[in-house]
């Protein structure tokens, strides 16, 4: 169990968990377990990491990295940031706005854990620079629902057991919400026999359209069931 | 990722002039460029974001075709009613590629300019003439299952990995550009991607600073449209082999192959043999192929994929 969870933890998640965790106390919460495991692994590998950093690059860059202002809305709230131009939308959300619901998985657009909606359309926030999003409206998992007032897709994921470790879940849910909208808008897919026809929210369609969201725990069939319920069809 | 400065271009010619400076690159959707910048295969020092240039529309041309703005997303292009009705090989090719999230961000021009997915190009510890000219090619003699078997050279056996361009090749599309001097030209899709030869570092015939503004499709040619993609899993994977085809009621038609060469691979003399069946077409289309032991399977796979298309066209 701990080993499986550990594999889902990325560097940024590790840092966040380390700074927040009390290493002396054992917590039974998922976040606590993650933090304890991550801290142990980080401590054992720290000397190697430091040695590598010293050997490969000077500690201070020759000149400061270019910074730029950018403003966008996140879940209806305007955010004004000044960022290193290299900052991805994902890192702006997690590291600068401290909205850690959106997850960093592969950081290369392959896993879908970082999926958010920008101007109503789902994208991989890891493959987008924050400065590309001046004036955009971003919706993250935090903007879909709250523990007291779940989004119907969040409620359906719980009902149908659409997750196990939960790391890919925010991306899965954002993607799932956007997929149903894409079907409603008539966006075609690879599994349609006739691409000029209106697509239907069949189980096969949902699976095809969710192929950009990877789940290592393998909750795929339950995710499709949850989506089917929200779409109002038998999955 | 290396540090870079960033600007939002206001006009196309200005963007082209800015991009002609050393170290500068255009940024559209960013889905491939940022991926490569993170691993420092791409190391631009200045990015010119072209999202405000207004190239986001699909319009009818005077000739009865369509002009697709360079920044039209893959999703919007695939979903356009006219494309679905008259050029469905293009819709089929686009929805066979990438994921929903990527198609929502990836642009028409960016899709044409995506780099190869050769694993040795991505691994900066490996020799790669495309990434570092003159360093050699670790793919030749290496693991080459995904790689090219025709149109390749002794410097590089990478493929162009895209799907959309294979359909555009079958449709005889043109790539419209503007250069830093304000000159415009239309490049036939047939000539847009280079064969590697001695310079695999150059993917296309675009010159320094030249900016893609649109892709134009000639008027519809009718026929049944197919995009048959064979890959290692059912979705979200690059083609091992793909076949874009438009087949007319009399059995004639057009065929291009993806996943096998540095460009969408279409041989007009080969497609003329369509009425004789798939084996006749591929024997001619892949004449002179230089498969490796790892990717030789692509030759019979191409024949079988085309045979499947021909069978469907008769159904």
């Amino acid at each position: 169990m701990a080993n499986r969870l550990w594999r889902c933890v990325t560097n940024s998640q590790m840092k966040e968990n380390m700074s927040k965790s009390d290493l002396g106390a054992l917590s039974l919460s998922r976040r606590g377990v993650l933090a304890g495991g991550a801290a142990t692994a980080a401590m054992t590998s720290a000397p190697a990491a430091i040695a590598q950093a010293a050997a490969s690059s000077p500690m201070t860059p020759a000149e400061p990295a270019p910074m730029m202002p950018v403003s966008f809305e996140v879940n209806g709230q305007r955010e004004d940031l000044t960022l290193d131009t290299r900052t991805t939308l994902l890192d702006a959300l997690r590291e600068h706005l401290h909205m850690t619901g959106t997850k960093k998985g592969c950081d290369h657009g392959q896993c879908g854990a970082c999926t958010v909606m920008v101007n109503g359309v789902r994208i991989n926030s890891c493959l987008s620079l924050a400065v590309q999003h001046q004036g955009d409206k971003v919706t993250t998992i935090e903007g879909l629902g709250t523990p007291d007032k779940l989004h119907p897709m969040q409620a359906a994921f719980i009902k149908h057991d659409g997750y196990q470790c939960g790391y890919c879940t925010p991306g899965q849910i954002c993607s799932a919400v956007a997929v149903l909208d894409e079907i409603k808008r008539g966006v075609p897919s690879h599994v349609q026999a006739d691409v000029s026809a209106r697509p239907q929210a069949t189980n096969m369609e949902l699976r095809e359209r969710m192929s950009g969201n990877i789940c290592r725990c393998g909750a795929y069939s339950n995710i499709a069931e949850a989506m089917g319920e929200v779409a109002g069809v038998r999955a | 990722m290396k540090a870079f400065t960033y600007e939002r271009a206001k006009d196309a010619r200005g963007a082209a002039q800015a991009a002609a400076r050393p170290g500068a690159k255009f940024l559209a959707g960013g889905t491939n460029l940022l991926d490569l910048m993170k691993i420092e295969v791409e190391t631009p020092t200045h990015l010119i974001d072209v999202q405000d240039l207004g190239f986001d529309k699909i319009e009818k041309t005077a000739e009865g075709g369509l002009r697709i703005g360079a920044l039209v997303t893959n999703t919007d292009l695939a979903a356009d009613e006219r494309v679905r009705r008259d050029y469905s090989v293009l819709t089929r090719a686009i929805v066979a590629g990438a994921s929903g999230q990527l198609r929502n961000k990836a642009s028409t021009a960016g899709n044409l300019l995506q780099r190869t997915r050769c694993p040795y190009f991505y691994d900066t510890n490996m020799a790669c003439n495309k990434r570092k000219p003159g360093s050699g090619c670790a793919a030749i003699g290496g693991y080459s299952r995904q790689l090219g078997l025709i149109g390749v050279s002794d410097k590089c056996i990478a493929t162009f990995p895209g799907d959309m361009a294979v359909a555009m090749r079958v449709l005889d599309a043109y790539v419209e550009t503007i250069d830093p001097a304000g000159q415009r030209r239309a490049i036939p899709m047939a000539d847009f991607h280079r064969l590697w030869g001695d310079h695999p570092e150059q993917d296309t015939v675009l010159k320094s600073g030249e900016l893609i503004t649109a892709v134009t499709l000639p008027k519809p040619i009718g026929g049944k449209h197919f995009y048959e993609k064979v890959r290692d899993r059912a979705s979200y994977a690059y083609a091992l082999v793909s076949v874009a085809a438009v087949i007319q009621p009399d059995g004639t038609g057009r065929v291009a192959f993806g996943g096998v060469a540095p460009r969408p691979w279409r041989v007009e003399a080969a497609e003329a043999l369509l009425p004789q069946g798939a084996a006749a077409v591929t024997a001619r289309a892949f004449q002179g192929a230089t498969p490796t032991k790892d990717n030789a399977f692509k030759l019979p796979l191409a024949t079988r994929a085309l045979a499947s298309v021909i069978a469907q066209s008769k159904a």
Side-chain angles (χ1 to χ4, degrees):
Chain A
M1 180 69 178
N3 187 36
R4 180 199 288 161
L5 289 173
W6 159 239
R7 273 186 264 138
C8 298
V9 178
T10 65
N11 286 334
S12 60
Q13 177 83 6
M14 212 161 79
K15 277 183 244 154
E16 170 211 333
N17 286 324
M18 282 179 71
S19 62
K20 285 178 185 169
S21 69
D22 175 2
L23 299 181
L26 267 179
S27 161
L28 288 179
S29 75
R30 183 169 58 88
R31 183 159 287 256
V33 173
L34 277 168
T40 312
M43 282 188 291
T44 42
S45 62
I50 291 165
Q52 192 181 19
S56 64
S57 64
M59 294 306 283
T60 47
E63 49 189 284
M67 305 286 285
M68 281 190 78
V70 63
S71 303
F72 45 75
E73 264 184 34
V74 182
N75 303 327
Q77 187 178 324
R78 186 191 158 104
E79 304 286 357
D80 302 299
L81 296 166
T82 298
L83 299 171
D84 183 322
T85 51
R86 290 172 288 187
T87 311
T88 59
L89 178 59
L90 172 62
D91 286 341
L93 292 169
R94 289 183 56 85
E95 309 297 330
H96 296 268
L97 299 173
H98 308 293
M99 301 179 70
T100 53
T102 308
K103 301 301 187 221
K104 182 181 282 192
C106 68
D107 208 24
H108 285 277
Q110 297 173 0
C111 77
C114 69
T115 302
V116 300
M117 284 174 270
V118 174
N119 302 332
V121 166
R122 60 178 170 148
I123 67 166
N124 299 113
S125 62
C126 75
L127 285 187
S128 214
L129 296 172
V131 292
Q132 287 176 273
H133 293 284
Q134 178 66 36
D136 284 349
K137 291 179 165 53
V138 182
T139 304
T140 69
I141 188 71
E142 290 96 337
L144 286 182
T146 64
D148 298 328
K149 193 168 184 251
L150 294 174
H151 184 282
M153 192 65 78
Q154 290 172 315
F157 266 61
I158 293 169
K159 179 180 169 189
H160 290 275
D161 208 10
Y163 51 86
Q164 207 176 110
C165 85
Y167 195 80
C168 72
T169 311
Q172 298 277 4
I173 291 177
C174 284
S175 204
V177 170
V179 160
L180 296 192
D181 181 58
E182 285 168 16
I183 292 173
K184 200 176 283 179
R185 287 188 286 119
V187 173
S189 94
H190 174 63
V191 294
Q192 276 179 261
D194 174 7
V195 289
S196 64
R198 288 200 71 79
Q200 305 295 317
T202 62
N203 186 261
M204 189 62 92
E205 280 284 354
L206 301 177
R207 285 167 178 264
E208 160 61 23
R209 290 167 191 266
M210 290 295 286
S211 69
N213 291 82
I214 309 300
C215 171
R216 285 198 66 160
C217 304
Y220 298 112
S221 62
N222 294 357
I223 290 169
E225 295 280 341
M227 292 176 70
E229 176 168 308
V230 177
V233 298
R234 279 183 59 85
Chain B
M1 200 187 301
K2 300 285 189 198
F4 56 86
T5 49
Y6 169 95
E7 70 172 293
R8 293 275 274 254
K10 300 283 186 296
D11 67 281
R13 189 180 169 189
Q17 288 169 344
R21 293 200 294 267
K25 262 196 176 307
F26 295 120
L27 172 67
T31 53
N32 187 215
L33 182 58
L34 285 176
D35 183 29
L36 292 169
M37 285 167 65
K38 287 182 182 193
I39 55 172
E40 299 187 356
V41 168
E42 296 276 10
T43 54
T45 53
H46 183 65
L47 288 184
I48 301 134
D49 187 335
V50 295
Q51 68 173 292
D52 298 331
L53 297 184
F55 301 142
D56 55 356
K57 294 166 201 71
I58 304 175
E59 300 161 318
K60 282 178 75 169
T61 64
E63 295 76 32
L66 287 180
R67 173 173 287 106
I68 303 155
L71 295 169
V72 172
T73 66
N74 289 178
T75 298
D76 287 347
L77 179 54
D80 185 273
E81 294 295 338
R82 295 160 293 186
V83 175
R84 289 158 81 162
R85 184 186 64 227
D86 298 330
Y87 306 96
S88 66
V89 62
L90 182 54
T91 289
R92 289 211 165 278
I94 292 169
V95 297
S99 66
Q101 290 97 315
L102 289 168
R103 292 192 296 268
N104 281 340
K105 196 81 187 117
S107 68
T108 301
N111 193 310
L112 295 177
L113 296 177
Q114 66 180 303
R115 309 299 309 271
T116 186
R117 262 63 177 191
C118 174
Y120 300 98
F121 174 72
Y122 266 70
D123 185 344
T124 51
N125 293 310
M126 292 288 183
C128 174
N129 287 321
K130 179 178 281 297
R131 176 168 30 78
K132 194 176 174 198
S135 64
C137 173
I140 296 173
Y143 182 68
S144 54
R145 181 170 178 274
Q146 294 169 287
L147 304 179
L149 48 78
I150 194 152
V152 295
S153 76
D154 59 1
K155 299 285 190 295
C156 180
I157 58 169
T159 58
F160 172 77
D163 296 298
M164 184 193 81
V166 186
M168 287 178 169
R169 176 69 182 92
V170 151
L171 294 169
D172 281 335
Y174 281 81
V175 181
E176 296 188 345
T177 67
I178 183 168
D179 72 11
Q183 293 291 315
R184 293 174 184 273
R185 65 169 172 156
I187 306 164
M189 188 60 70
D191 303 331
F192 183 75
H193 293 102
R194 293 182 64 258
L195 299 185
W196 305 142
D198 289 335
H199 291 283
E201 72 279 10
Q202 295 169 17
D203 290 354
T204 70
V205 298
L206 291 179
K207 299 193 172 72
S208 173
E210 195 171 4
L211 174 69
I212 299 175
T213 56
V215 173
T216 52
L217 303 178
K219 66 176 194 247
I221 56 169
K224 287 187 179 173
H225 290 220
F226 301 92
Y227 192 76
E228 186 83 14
K229 181 173 177 177
V230 187
R231 45 186 162 173
D232 283 329
R233 56 186 182 209
S235 184
Y236 198 17
Y238 290 97
L240 293 167
V241 166
S242 68
V243 178
V246 177
I247 311 281
Q248 301 296 342
D250 64 0
T252 63
R254 302 179 184 180
V255 179
F257 297 90
V260 291
R263 59 164 64 139
W265 195 253
R266 179 178 171 198
V267 177
E268 277 80 350
E271 70 191 19
L273 304 173
L274 264 172
Q276 296 176 35
V281 175
T282 53
R284 178 69 185 84
F286 293 104
Q287 212 170 57
T290 53
T292 66
K293 66 174 170 39
D294 291 336
N295 70 16
F297 75 95
K298 289 189 176 190
L299 289 170
L301 194 58
T303 305
R304 290 169 194 170
L306 178 58
S308 165
V309 164
I310 293 171
Q312 291 172 63
S313 75
K314 290 174 178 167

